[in-house]
Amino acid sequence: MKADALFLQRLRGEGTTCFRAVSSSGVWGDAYQLEGGSWALFLGFDEASRDWPALARRKAEDFKKTWGETVGVVSGAVKTPKGSESLPAVFIDEALRGASLVTREWGSRLELRMDGVLNPGVFMDQRVNRGRLLQLIEKRGTAPLLNLFSYTGAFSVLAARKGCPTTSVDCSKAYLTWEGQNHELNNTASLSKRLKADATDYLRRQVAKAHRGETSEEQRPGFIIVDAPTFSRADGKVFRVREDLAGMVRDAVALLSTSAGAILISCNDMGWLREDFENDVASWAGEADLQWEKGATAEDFDYETKSAWLLRNL
């Protein structure tokens, strides 16, 4: 997203202070306005720079020229033959070193980490889907939310702020702890349950409990988020989205409450997205007699939607 004052004004109006920016040199970066006013940049590069600190400072200068905003800290990640590696944070404003870095999305206060990470803590391409979740809660009422592959819990924090009890499942203890800190920032800890578990196994167990009559209708989730990775390996278990997502969606439908009734399905397999993903979503919806709608990607991202909603027709 190139410099656009109206875009920034609209984001701030909805309580958001982070977006994907394009600098005058064309290199993308995620930009986060911090509480206190300055900005943090997280940059992505195809190749590592030999002089990363100098490059980081040049990008901060470029951002100020393009957007008119002052950058206090810059970090990033580079692609390597073995995957990706984080770059160390460069603190242009030394007062930010060791300070709590907090940005906002849809009014939620979210903690950022700029050192030793491949993402500072907010998947901003899901911003529009979180806005859609807000609409659904306002239209259909509060209901339990189940957040699978929850990362740092942005969906859960948003739902909890609207009064929904939330359960987040992730295989990373570190991310679940990070989510807990986000709940503390938003005074929603009492509505947060966080579990270190394999999301596929957890969902399957919850469906079995419901079939045995051990889960009341009020306890079933009315909103389910399935933001699945393309591939993951943890605790000896392997998840492959093309092999495992369909089963998860069917289990999610089986667990979904008859009230509220909304499931978000996200896919990061670009090949599947280009081929049959929408047809597969339509098929899953038809099997369950649910409506489906295309998810949306935030306008500051340059790729098409990678998600869809399954909705009960209430």
Side-chain angles (χ1 to χ4, degrees):
M1 171 62 68
K2 294 184 180 179
D4 183 338
L6 290 178
F7 168 74
L8 268 184
Q9 182 179 353
R10 179 169 58 76
L11 281 186
R12 285 169 171 152
E14 65 190 28
T16 296
T17 59
C18 53
F19 68 102
R20 177 157 290 185
V22 176
S23 69
S24 59
S25 61
V27 177
W28 71 260
D30 289 344
Y32 307 83
Q33 187 172 27
L34 307 173
E35 293 184 352
S38 68
W39 287 74
L41 294 183
F42 193 87
L43 307 175
F45 301 95
D46 290 333
E47 298 179 359
S49 166
R50 292 184 179 180
D51 190 0
W52 160 241
L55 177 61
R57 292 178 183 279
R58 287 199 301 273
K59 294 302 177 186
E61 292 169 3
D62 193 11
F63 186 80
K64 184 170 180 61
K65 290 177 183 176
T66 305
W67 290 88
E69 302 285 354
T70 299
V71 173
V73 57
V74 183
S75 186
V78 294
K79 295 180 181 178
T80 70
K82 295 183 179 180
S84 297
E85 293 182 5
S86 61
L87 292 165
V90 175
F91 288 90
I92 298 167
D93 180 353
E94 282 295 326
L96 295 176
R97 190 185 297 274
S100 178
L101 307 180
V102 178
T103 193
R104 292 180 183 256
E105 186 196 69
W106 294 107
S108 297
R109 302 176 69 212
L110 301 171
E111 180 186 277
L112 301 176
R113 296 181 187 173
M114 299 295 288
D115 230 351
V117 296
L118 297 177
N119 184 286
V122 185
F123 287 138
M124 292 191 289
D125 57 345
Q126 291 281 19
R127 184 177 68 242
V128 178
N129 281 326
R130 282 190 276 272
R132 178 63 173 135
L133 175 63
L134 269 180
Q135 294 174 347
L136 289 168
I137 294 171
E138 290 168 357
K139 181 178 180 180
R140 301 186 174 205
T142 59
L145 176 134
L146 174 60
N147 188 2
L148 301 170
F149 309 104
S150 55
Y151 188 44
T152 60
F155 278 103
S156 298
V157 168
L158 184 68
R161 288 180 51 239
K162 288 296 181 180
C164 298
T166 66
T167 299
S168 296
V169 181
D170 202 280
C171 61
S172 168
K173 182 179 179 180
Y175 287 150
L176 292 168
T177 300
W178 193 340
E179 178 184 337
Q181 291 166 338
N182 282 334
H183 281 288
E184 292 293 340
L185 283 171
N186 291 274
N187 299 313
T188 54
S190 63
L191 291 170
S192 166
K193 180 180 179 181
R194 299 176 302 282
L195 300 170
K196 183 181 182 300
D198 177 84
T200 304
D201 287 350
Y202 176 83
L203 182 57
R204 191 177 296 123
R205 291 196 303 270
Q206 295 308 301
V207 170
K209 284 179 62 177
H211 284 169
R212 293 194 300 266
E214 298 173 11
T215 305
S216 69
E217 176 63 26
E218 292 74 20
Q219 292 172 318
R220 290 180 180 234
F223 305 103
I224 301 178
I225 308 299
V226 187
D227 190 3
T230 301
F231 174 88
S232 70
R233 187 194 305 272
D235 299 328
K237 295 182 179 294
V238 174
F239 178 89
R240 294 180 176 88
V241 70
R242 291 208 191 196
E243 296 176 13
D244 299 323
L245 183 59
M248 286 196 75
V249 171
R250 293 186 177 101
D251 283 342
V253 169
L255 186 62
L256 191 67
S257 74
T258 55
S259 62
I263 301 170
L264 174 66
I265 310 161
S266 286
C267 171
N268 292 291
D269 184 325
M270 301 311 291
W272 192 6
L273 290 170
R274 286 190 294 267
E275 296 162 9
D276 299 318
F277 182 69
E278 287 190 14
N279 290 334
D280 290 337
V281 170
S283 175
W284 300 332
E287 289 175 15
D289 195 26
L290 298 175
Q291 296 178 324
W292 79 277
E293 66 180 43
K294 234 179 179 181
T297 299
E299 64 193 271
D300 37 320
F301 285 74
D302 61 358
Y303 50 80
E304 293 196 16
T305 182
K306 62 175 189 176
S307 57
W309 289 89
L310 300 183
L311 303 168
R312 291 204 189 281
N313 188 8
L314 300 182

